[in-house]
């Protein structure tokens, strides 16, 4: 009788605690290792954006030190929040926690996914079943969820937000929203969505990642008056991204896209894309993008970062170096200590 394989241990790159720290007040991502390094690398640009007095700089220094400490504790604190929520939280919509059913998915999404798994399926055939937002930037859109499912998920998210349960930040740029793994929605919702539907779709749209998408990070972000209203330009810690607006009623907040972050003049002539509730935008994680200011109302978006350990084990997408691995909880940041089979990283950039 054979023995079961040990579960894979996922990691993060040590750069998570020193690279790409977002300073919202100055609209800047920075590397932070010491006060001297910060002054040397960012002194002029910080000064040009309003960080001019010693008090300004000391305030910034304190914020960065606090953020580094938060990131160092993140995995353990997230696991503790998830355990508390699992034991004490009472959902408003228990049906949302049921295993993902086809009835929750838009017919167009089901048709595109079914085509992607059919014999002889190719890119041109799939493109007939979705919208090409930009052929050059390889950005696509198609309906993902039905309106009733979007509404049910929003009701559950609203209920959770108003509860006294602890809540983690979705990421360093979004202060309002929900981490789906902490809420217990990874296993019933996001994992089957990735494995059954997104993997075959993405294999045709982005064949350089065919068969490699083995983990994800999923969260819902919220934009509202008095809270987050816009999102600065950035790229994702992911190989590919799915962004689905769930509602509610809103104006403004359009997405804008530049080129891949490695390209010169990557934000020249950005492409603007309006949100359509229930319809997902698919793009490469390295694509520079952001969100224009919200006009009115509230906007909630489900964002799924799709990750490929065999790719990122060779090159961390955030520090652009071979990752310095640190053990982490859950999926971590999608790295493993395993040596992948041959992957041509140069072909992916």
């Amino acid at each position: 009788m054979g023995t079961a394989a040990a579960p894979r241990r996922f990691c993060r790159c040590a750069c998570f605690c020193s690279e790409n720290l977002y300073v919202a007040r100055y609209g800047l991502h920075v590397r932070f290792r010491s006060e001297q390094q910060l002054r040397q690398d960012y002194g002029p640009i910080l000064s040009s954006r309003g960080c001019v007095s010693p008090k300004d700089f000391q305030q910034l220094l304190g914020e960065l030190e606090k953020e580094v400490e938060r990131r160092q504790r993140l995995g353990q604190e997230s696991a503790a929040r998830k355990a508390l929520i699992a034991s004490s939280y009472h959902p408003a919509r228990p049906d949302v926690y049921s295993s993902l059913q086809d009835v929750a998915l838009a017919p167009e999404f089901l048709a595109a996914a079914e085509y992607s798994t059919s014999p002889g399926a190719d890119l041109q055939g799939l493109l007939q079943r979705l919208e090409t937002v930009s052929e050059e930037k390889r950005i696509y859109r198609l309906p993902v969820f039905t309106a009733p499912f979007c509404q049910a998920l929003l009701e559950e998210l609203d209920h959770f937000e108003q509860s006294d349960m602890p809540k983690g930040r979705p990421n360093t740029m979004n202060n309002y929203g929900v981490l789906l793994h902490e809420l217990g929605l990874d296993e019933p919702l996001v994992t089957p969505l990735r494995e059954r539907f997104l993997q075959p779709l993405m294999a045709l749209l982005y064949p350089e990642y065919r068969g490699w998408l083995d983990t994800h990070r999923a969260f819902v972000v919220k934009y509202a008056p008095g809270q987050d209203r816009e999102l600065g330009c950035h790229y994702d810690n992911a190989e590919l991204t799915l962004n689905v607006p769930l509602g509610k009623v809103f104006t403004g907040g359009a997405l804008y896209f530049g080129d891949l972050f490695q390209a010169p003049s990557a934000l020249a002539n950005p492409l603007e894309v309006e949100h359509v509730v229930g319809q997902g935008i698919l793009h490469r994680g390295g694509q520079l993008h952001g969100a224009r200011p919200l006009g009115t109302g509230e906007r909630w978006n489900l964002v799924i970062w799709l990750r490929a350990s065999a790719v990122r084990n060779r090159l961390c997408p955030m520090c652009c170096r071979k990752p310095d691995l640190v053990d982490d909880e859950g999926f971590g940041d999608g790295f493993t200590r395993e040596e992948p089979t041959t992957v041509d990283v140069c072909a992916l950039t």
Side-chain angles (χ1 to χ4, degrees):
M1 183 175 179
T3 57
R8 299 176 72 192
R9 179 78 181 187
F10 290 97
C11 309
R12 59 174 168 84
C13 178
C15 78
F16 178 69
C17 291
S18 60
E19 308 269 347
N20 291 286
L21 278 68
Y22 185 61
V23 184
R25 185 165 59 259
Y26 303 119
L28 191 66
H29 285 85
V30 301
R31 176 190 308 107
F32 176 58
R33 297 181 184 276
S34 68
E35 178 177 351
Q36 180 181 357
Q37 169 267 319
L38 187 69
R39 289 185 183 276
Q40 180 176 328
D41 291 351
Y42 300 100
I45 190 171
L46 283 169
S47 179
S48 72
R49 298 191 182 191
C51 184
V52 293
S53 70
K55 181 179 179 181
D56 291 337
F57 193 86
Q58 288 304 312
Q59 182 179 1
L60 171 61
L61 198 62
E63 290 173 359
L64 290 174
E65 290 171 345
K66 184 177 180 181
E67 172 61 14
V68 169
E69 292 173 359
R70 186 191 73 85
R71 292 187 180 204
Q72 291 170 339
R73 302 189 305 266
L74 190 62
Q76 289 184 336
E77 290 187 352
S78 181
R81 285 192 298 267
K82 180 179 179 180
L84 179 59
I85 291 166
S87 65
S88 305
Y89 175 64
H90 300 288
R93 293 296 302 260
D95 53 312
V96 169
Y97 295 81
S98 302
S99 182
L100 180 65
Q101 301 296 314
D102 288 0
V103 70
L105 300 171
E108 298 91 335
F109 185 71
L110 291 170
E114 182 179 2
Y115 171 78
S116 299
T117 59
S118 64
D122 60 17
L123 176 60
Q124 291 308 311
L126 178 58
L127 292 181
Q128 296 174 17
R129 293 164 168 81
L130 47 75
E131 174 189 352
T132 300
V133 175
S134 171
E135 181 178 3
E136 176 190 4
K137 299 182 189 301
R138 301 173 72 194
I139 301 173
Y140 308 96
R141 172 158 53 193
L142 80 165
V144 176
F145 299 116
T146 62
F149 182 79
C150 288
Q151 181 60 36
L153 183 55
L154 277 176
E155 289 176 12
E156 178 57 29
L157 294 169
D158 253 338
H159 178 69
F160 177 72
E161 185 183 52
Q162 294 170 28
S163 74
D164 59 0
M165 289 289 102
K167 301 167 182 70
R169 290 168 59 182
N171 55 68
T172 57
M173 298 182 72
N174 293 101
N175 296 295
Y176 299 91
V178 179
L179 291 160
L180 293 196
H181 79 278
E182 291 188 3
L183 192 52
L185 286 172
D186 247 8
E187 293 80 2
L189 174 60
V190 187
T191 295
L193 186 68
R194 170 173 57 85
E195 293 179 346
R196 291 175 50 201
F197 301 102
L198 293 175
Q199 283 182 341
L201 273 171
M202 297 302 200
L204 291 180
L205 294 174
Y206 308 97
E208 63 268 38
Y209 299 113
R210 183 189 300 270
W212 299 114
L213 300 174
D214 53 354
T215 67
H216 60 262
R217 178 177 173 83
F219 49 91
V220 172
V221 293
K222 177 188 177 186
Y223 298 86
Q227 300 182 4
D228 291 337
R229 295 185 63 91
E230 61 188 303
L231 187 63
C233 184
H234 65 286
Y235 60 93
D236 295 339
N237 185 359
E239 277 62 68
L240 301 171
T241 296
L242 170 66
N243 185 333
V244 187
L246 302 172
K248 302 179 178 178
V249 178
F250 59 88
T251 62
L255 294 173
Y256 62 89
F257 290 92
D259 294 327
L260 292 177
F261 75 91
Q262 303 99 329
S265 304
L267 255 187
N269 304 313
L271 169 71
E272 291 210 358
V273 182
E274 296 293 337
H275 296 278
V276 180
V277 172
Q279 296 197 14
I281 298 289
L282 304 166
H283 64 88
R284 291 172 291 178
Q287 202 89 40
L288 281 176
H289 61 285
R292 302 298 187 197
L294 184 75
T296 61
E298 287 186 14
R299 177 166 65 83
W300 297 66
N301 283 55
L302 169 62
V303 179
I304 302 177
W305 287 350
L306 298 164
R307 291 163 164 173
S309 63
V311 174
R312 56 185 39 226
N313 284 355
R314 297 291 182 90
L315 187 72
C316 171
M318 303 309 286
C319 65
C320 297
R321 298 188 295 265
K322 182 173 176 61
D324 177 10
L325 298 180
V326 178
D327 286 338
D328 205 358
E329 301 289 336
F331 284 153
D333 269 347
F335 300 92
T336 69
R337 297 188 185 279
E338 304 162 9
E339 279 298 315
T341 53
T342 302
V343 179
D344 185 356
V345 174
C346 294
L348 306 178
T349 57

